[in-house]
Amino acid sequence: MGRGGKSRTQRKHFRQSRENVWKRSKTDPNSSPNDENRIQTNPNPWTPFATENRSFDNYYKEQRIVNEQEWDQFVTVLRTPLPASFRINSSTQFADDIRSQLENDFAHSLRDEVAEGGETEAIRPLPWYPGNFSWHSNFSRMQLRKNQTLTRFHEFLKLENEIGNITRQEAVSMVPPLFLDVHSDHFVLDMCAAPGSKTFQLLETIHQSTKAGLLPDGMVIANDLDVQRCNLLIHQTKRMCTANLIVTNHEAQHFPGCRLNRNRERVEPDQHIDQLLFDRVLCDVPCSGDGTLRKAPDLWRKWNSGMGQGLHSLQVLIAMRGLSLLKIGGRMVYSTCSMNPIENEAVVAEVLRRCGGSVELVDVSSELPQLIRRPGLKSWKVYDKGTWLVSCKDVPKFRRSVILPGMFPSGGSYQDLVDSDRNADVGEDISVCPNGNSEDGLPTIENSVNHQSAEEVPDFPIEHCMRIVPHDQNTGAFFIAVLQKVAPLPAIQEKSKMEIVEQYVEPVDQSLEDGQALQINSSESALEEISKAVSEENVNDNEQNTEDLEVSPVEEHHSKEIKEPPSIENMEKKVPAKRKLQIQGKWRGVDPVVFFKDEAIINSIRTFYGISEQFPFDGHLVTRNNDAGHVKRIYYVSKSVKDVLKLNFAVGQQLKITSVGLKMFERQSAREGSDAPCAFRISSEGLPLILPYMNKQILHASPEDFKRLLQDKDVKFADFADSEFGEKAANLMPGCCVVILDRGNRSATESRKVDESTIAIGCWRGRVRLTVMVTTMDCQELLERLLIRLDPEKGSSVPVDCSS
């Protein structure tokens, strides 16, 4: 789920709340650390979080999100820890090996660890996920970390996750990308992408069935509001090793359209696109997150109904922006990990009203038939200060800046309401039971009052939305709606821009401006409150050192108050005066993306490695440094990314890019590369893409010598078992080289043909030895796979040690 930005203190709070599922009781302050009686004063050192909230119960009972008969079952499951789940990266070369290891090894060896009263299987594939590539574990993350008998399985998960062969992800979080129906040639936008598990899933789909040395025609732009969360997003997607990704840092509701005016801007002859439009948009918006209660139990005590109401406006704006960037015929998935209809069905209904028939809600009930889902709610209510409201007609005047017409099933407009005496009376008084107050003086939900207006239902087939509830398939809760754009959005959207313009003008009616400011502040306050309460998806598992990331801290830009209204044409470059201004253009604090065109360096690389002319360099190499003499890393981008970068340059760099491309070449240090004719080595990430086009600096090793390299990491030429291999290594040019594992039972020609199953590593040919240039973790993974292929029984039972 994408969420708003967070301070360092708030992120620390998140990590602590994730780790402290059980909270330590306070010890006796009068006892010393060595006091023998200290244990007696604290007989129960661990107490669980409270998993009850009467307001929560009463709110969702009134909203009827489940039948009354199953409420107890629903809440019982919601109060238990969430089982761990993970997804195999279907595009990795070891996907089938990992799936086989799960089916034939762990599924059997973990049978004895099944808890009584739980599921009968320790691990099992999720029946609704294609190809058995997604797995459900009967253990919580806490159990995996603490249970010694699960150590081998836990180490397996950590290793494969870090390398990128699997992604640890909540099961329901895997659902939205499946309903997007992404193809390899699609341009996809993930609007609120961090921490990046869904982005990784989208990239898997883009790359699926791609042949060795080729790139798909499509691409993914992953966006997030906060630059620190972008670091997490980059770390997550970096494991995918893709040239088809751009990571950006924008407010989702103001994501740039990059429209190119060919009559006014200078256009390059090979400029293929003149506007940034997408075939698919994933709109997983910031939300209150109460669907994650099973993995974030601290939310129980923090939950209140206002958390969702404060985010409704922002969610509508993000969804509308996503639809405006969607191609006609394209599909957008709107999703939240909230159960609140104000954030779910109400947002979808309001978006459909604003789009006036240009967008349709798609019935996907026949897709993924084994996924148990429930239809969207046809009616709901809005709770405000002790009162249940069923229509915008019931909202008191002084609450109309907070409780919006779009929150109700039938929508409406306050401007259309006639100020009759009855409405005036309602607007001046709220009926609250005299004893219906909580300790802080606020009315409680259980003692609330219902207005007598007739229950409203939307004019759209909201039942086509999907609700996933925890007790159906032992998951978290989630909401998904699939929308299709069938025509251009109506011109009424210009009215929305004019309404924004009014915020820049000195208002005649001061109460109107106060109301608008209050609504903006309520959304920001809700985001801040939720930031303190909702745990981040996969943060603990994916939080690593990000020093290698090409992102600099963003300097804050403060806007001055604007008194004159801007033109409609410049609206995408303007934001309300009360908010920080995102400068459209060259972004301060972020290194620029530059096309790398140093012919001397490019030719030396192509000549040294014997790279075929069929592998295109022109316009595909980028860097983050203008000075070619000091370039440390050169990145490779796909044709689709190249076209977007050219468009971005043509429109004045409207996209604030924090990461782009696949690291292909890296400059060696002066000591290591002093004897090498080429100053740049091939990175491990880029090797699979460029290897089919290389004909120099290549060695083919037997399994025995390949294993020796992985284990020792540094082997003298004379120490290889195959003396001929050692001689060939000695005859190579000094510098980077590639060692390919020879495959047995094949002819010499077949064995040397590079395809998707080829296993290769980068090495450095020194004066008297070969040195492996891959991480210890990658060595460990390759050794494990090599052992399994050569000796399946030994490989599945013996842990590999590469620490030497």
Side-chain angles (χ1 to χ4, degrees):
M1 178 187 69
R3 298 180 181 90
K6 302 171 180 62
S7 67
R8 182 176 300 175
T9 302
Q10 291 169 334
R11 290 192 299 275
K12 181 179 178 182
H13 171 84
F14 273 132
R15 292 192 292 272
Q16 291 173 343
S17 66
R18 285 290 300 276
E19 293 166 0
N20 298 331
V21 178
W22 300 91
K23 205 168 185 178
R24 186 181 296 275
S25 300
K26 294 182 180 179
T27 58
D28 184 355
N30 297 320
S31 62
S32 65
N34 299 321
D35 191 347
E36 293 180 359
N37 296 323
R38 181 170 182 167
I39 296 178
Q40 297 177 3
T41 62
N42 186 24
N44 298 310
W46 299 98
T47 56
F49 276 129
T51 55
E52 292 185 6
N53 186 313
R54 291 177 63 188
S55 294
F56 174 91
D57 291 350
N58 287 294
Y59 181 81
Y60 282 121
K61 281 181 179 179
E62 186 71 24
Q63 297 287 19
R64 295 172 292 183
I65 62 169
V66 296
N67 296 328
E68 185 178 351
Q69 294 80 4
E70 56 182 327
W71 175 263
D72 290 342
Q73 182 187 6
F74 163 72
V75 173
T76 299
V77 173
L78 202 58
R79 289 170 180 160
T80 60
L82 183 71
S85 56
F86 56 93
R87 192 187 69 255
I88 301 172
N89 177 2
S90 57
S91 63
T92 181
Q93 69 178 135
F94 297 125
D96 292 336
D97 291 346
I98 294 171
R99 180 176 55 188
S100 177
Q101 189 174 0
L102 290 168
E103 292 171 343
N104 302 319
D105 176 8
F106 288 114
H108 300 290
S109 63
L110 295 175
R111 279 177 180 171
D112 294 338
E113 302 304 323
V114 176
E116 292 185 7
E119 297 189 20
T120 57
E121 297 175 289
I123 60 171
R124 58 176 172 81
L126 292 171
W128 45 265
Y129 200 94
N132 281 5
F133 283 122
S134 182
W135 286 71
H136 166 96
S137 155
N138 198 30
F139 313 107
S140 69
R141 292 190 175 187
M142 179 66 73
Q143 289 174 309
L144 287 172
R145 287 194 291 266
K146 301 298 184 182
N147 191 334
Q148 295 298 318
T149 60
L150 300 175
T151 298
R152 189 171 73 90
F153 181 56
H154 188 217
E155 292 301 318
F156 163 81
L157 292 178
K158 289 196 300 183
L159 173 63
E160 302 298 345
N161 179 76
E162 181 61 28
I163 291 173
N165 289 335
I166 71 168
T167 297
R168 302 175 74 175
Q169 181 182 1
E170 188 177 351
V172 289
S173 175
M174 306 175 193
V175 176
L178 295 179
F179 284 110
L180 263 184
D181 188 30
V182 174
H183 300 170
S184 62
D185 60 342
H186 280 166
F187 278 46
V188 185
L189 172 64
D190 191 350
M191 301 188 74
C192 308
S197 53
K198 296 184 187 70
T199 305
F200 199 100
Q201 197 174 347
L202 294 170
L203 288 167
E204 285 180 35
T205 309
I206 292 285
H207 281 273
Q208 208 161 13
S209 303
T210 302
K211 300 297 182 182
L214 299 177
L215 291 173
D217 294 330
M219 64 161 296
V220 176
I221 293 184
N223 176 72
D224 201 80
L225 166 68
D226 181 70
V227 70
Q228 297 300 327
R229 286 173 59 80
C230 281
N231 282 345
L232 180 61
L233 172 61
I234 293 166
H235 175 75
Q236 176 82 286
T237 55
K238 181 181 177 183
R239 304 172 304 131
M240 183 66 194
C241 300
T242 177
N244 297 64
L245 172 69
I246 298 176
V247 178
T248 61
N249 175 215
H250 290 279
E251 292 176 323
Q253 68 272 29
H254 299 134
F255 192 87
C258 297
R259 183 188 294 272
L260 178 64
N261 189 329
R262 291 185 175 270
N263 296 323
R264 297 171 63 179
E265 276 110 351
R266 179 176 171 270
V267 181
E268 297 292 335
D270 58 346
Q271 184 69 52
H272 299 294
I273 56 177
D274 55 14
Q275 185 178 2
L276 197 53
L277 293 175
F278 298 91
D279 302 280
R280 299 289 187 267
V281 173
L282 179 58
C283 188
D284 188 54
V285 296
C287 69
S288 60
D290 57 18
T292 67
L293 281 165
R294 297 185 69 184
K295 68 176 182 179
D298 195 33
L299 264 175
W300 281 103
R301 64 182 179 85
K302 296 177 180 293
W303 185 94
N304 66 79
S305 63
M307 294 167 68
Q309 293 173 5
L311 288 169
H312 172 86
S313 295
L314 177 64
Q315 291 161 342
V316 171
L317 289 175
I318 294 175
M320 289 303 301
R321 186 57 183 156
L323 289 169
S324 69
L325 295 169
L326 188 65
K327 295 178 182 177
I328 296 175
R331 176 179 284 196
M332 183 178 90
V333 167
Y334 174 87
S335 62
T336 75
C337 56
S338 167
M339 294 180 280
N340 198 332
I342 308 304
E343 303 177 75
N344 296 332
E345 287 88 352
V347 172
V348 173
E350 176 63 13
V351 165
L352 291 172
R353 278 190 291 267
R354 294 190 183 191
C355 292
S358 60
V359 173
E360 295 178 349
L361 192 57
V362 182
D363 180 7
V364 291
S365 58
S366 61
E367 300 179 24
L368 303 182
Q370 291 183 291
L371 174 68
I372 300 177
R373 84 293 296 265
R374 304 188 178 205
L377 301 179
K378 293 184 179 180
S379 64
W380 59 90
K381 303 175 185 178
V382 179
Y383 179 77
D384 183 54
K385 291 191 176 295
T387 305
W388 283 104
L389 308 169
V390 297
S391 170
C392 67
K393 300 174 184 177
D394 301 329
V395 180
K397 287 182 180 179
F398 71 94
R399 297 296 295 166
R400 290 178 181 176
S401 60
V402 177
I403 306 301
L404 305 179
M407 296 179 179
F408 296 92
S410 294
S413 171
Y414 291 139
Q415 296 179 356
D416 298 336
L417 296 179
V418 179
D419 293 329
S420 63
D421 292 340
R422 180 180 64 83
N423 289 340
D425 291 339
V426 170
E428 297 299 329
D429 181 42
I430 299 180
S431 300
V432 180
C433 293
N435 297 324
N437 292 335
S438 60
E439 293 179 1
D440 56 7
L442 296 176
T444 56
I445 293 181
E446 57 266 34
N447 294 308
S448 58
V449 174
N450 278 282
H451 273 298
Q452 299 302 314
S453 299
E455 189 175 82
E456 294 184 346
V457 294
D459 297 328
F460 310 102
I462 296 297
E463 64 275 10
H464 290 169
C465 300
M466 292 168 283
R467 282 181 165 266
I468 299 175
V469 292
H471 59 293
D472 279 343
Q473 288 182 307
N474 196 13
T475 64
F478 226 79
F479 174 87
I480 304 111
V482 181
L483 302 163
Q484 185 167 8
K485 189 173 182 179
V486 296
L489 296 186
I492 192 68
Q493 294 307 312
E494 294 299 322
K495 180 180 178 181
S496 299
K497 292 185 177 182
M498 289 305 300
E499 289 172 352
I500 297 175
V501 173
E502 291 173 3
Q503 297 181 30
Y504 292 84
V505 187
E506 293 283 358
V508 177
D509 183 357
Q510 188 65 35
S511 63
L512 176 61
E513 185 187 40
D514 292 341
Q516 291 171 333
L518 181 60
Q519 183 59 40
I520 292 174
N521 292 335
S522 68
S523 293
E524 293 178 339
S525 299
L527 272 172
E528 184 176 354
E529 176 67 22
I530 292 160
S531 296
K532 297 176 182 178
V534 182
S535 64
E536 294 185 1
E537 196 175 310
N538 291 333
V539 167
N540 285 346
D541 297 306
N542 298 301
E543 195 167 41
Q544 302 287 339
N545 184 0
T546 56
E547 292 179 356
D548 185 48
L549 304 181
E550 296 290 315
V551 184
S552 304
V554 179
E555 300 179 12
E556 294 184 350
H557 314 296
H558 298 277
S559 62
K560 298 180 180 180
E561 290 191 2
I562 304 173
K563 298 300 182 181
E564 296 183 2
S567 63
I568 291 296
E569 290 76 10
N570 294 326
M571 280 311 301
E572 288 186 356
K573 300 183 181 181
K574 303 292 184 180
V575 292
K578 295 179 183 291
R579 302 179 70 87
K580 293 177 183 178
L581 180 65
Q582 288 192 336
I583 298 177
Q584 303 286 355
K586 294 182 179 179
W587 302 90
R588 289 188 292 172
V590 176
D591 294 332
V593 178
V594 181
F595 282 110
F596 187 76
K597 299 180 179 179
D598 190 303
E599 292 297 330
I601 293 178
I602 293 174
N603 289 336
S604 71
I605 291 174
R606 191 181 286 277
T607 301
F608 181 75
Y609 295 107
I611 301 172
S612 167
E613 293 291 340
Q614 294 180 335
F615 188 77
F617 275 172
D618 185 28
H620 290 269
L621 299 179
V622 299
T623 183
R624 305 303 293 252
N625 193 328
N626 279 312
D627 187 354
H630 293 85
V631 168
K632 294 182 179 180
R633 302 177 186 89
I634 301 173
Y635 298 84
Y636 193 86
V637 298
S638 66
K639 180 182 181 302
S640 52
V641 171
K642 178 183 75 170
D643 290 342
V644 171
L645 291 178
K646 287 189 174 183
L647 172 64
N648 190 43
F649 281 118
V651 298
Q653 298 184 47
Q654 291 182 19
L655 287 178
K656 181 181 178 184
I657 297 173
T658 60
S659 177
V660 63
L662 171 67
K663 185 167 68 175
M664 181 66 72
F665 304 110
E666 193 161 12
R667 186 185 292 272
Q668 280 300 119
S669 65
R671 181 180 63 84
E672 295 171 323
S674 56
D675 297 333
C678 179
F680 285 83
R681 67 179 179 88
I682 300 173
S683 73
S684 297
E685 297 95 320
L687 179 58
L689 179 62
I690 201 170
L691 181 57
Y693 302 91
M694 291 176 55
N695 56 45
K696 294 182 181 178
Q697 295 297 105
I698 296 176
L699 295 169
H700 293 265
S702 66
E704 183 180 358
D705 283 330
F706 197 84
K707 179 182 174 182
R708 175 80 182 274
L709 272 171
L710 293 175
Q711 288 178 327
D712 296 347
K713 299 182 183 176
D714 190 286
V715 182
K716 291 183 178 179
F717 301 144
D719 292 343
F720 286 106
D722 183 354
S723 59
E724 184 180 354
F725 175 80
E727 291 176 5
K728 289 181 178 179
N731 292 330
L732 286 179
M733 296 286 286
C736 178
C737 63
V738 178
V739 178
I740 298 176
L741 173 63
D742 258 348
R743 292 166 286 188
N745 302 323
R746 296 192 182 190
S747 66
T749 303
E750 289 178 336
S751 181
R752 281 159 172 71
K753 183 180 179 181
V754 175
D755 56 26
E756 295 79 21
S757 64
T758 299
I759 297 178
I761 57 174
C763 293
W764 187 263
R765 188 276 194 195
R767 294 180 181 177
V768 295
R769 68 187 70 223
L770 278 182
T771 303
V772 173
M773 303 187 73
V774 296
T775 66
T776 299
M777 197 165 289
D778 285 326
C779 286
Q780 182 178 347
E781 163 68 3
L782 286 172
L783 269 173
E784 174 74 11
R785 296 296 145 213
L786 190 59
L787 284 172
I788 289 176
R789 290 185 178 184
L790 297 178
D791 188 351
E793 292 185 4
K794 183 179 180 181
S796 63
S797 60
V798 179
V800 178
D801 183 8
C802 288
S803 58
S804 60

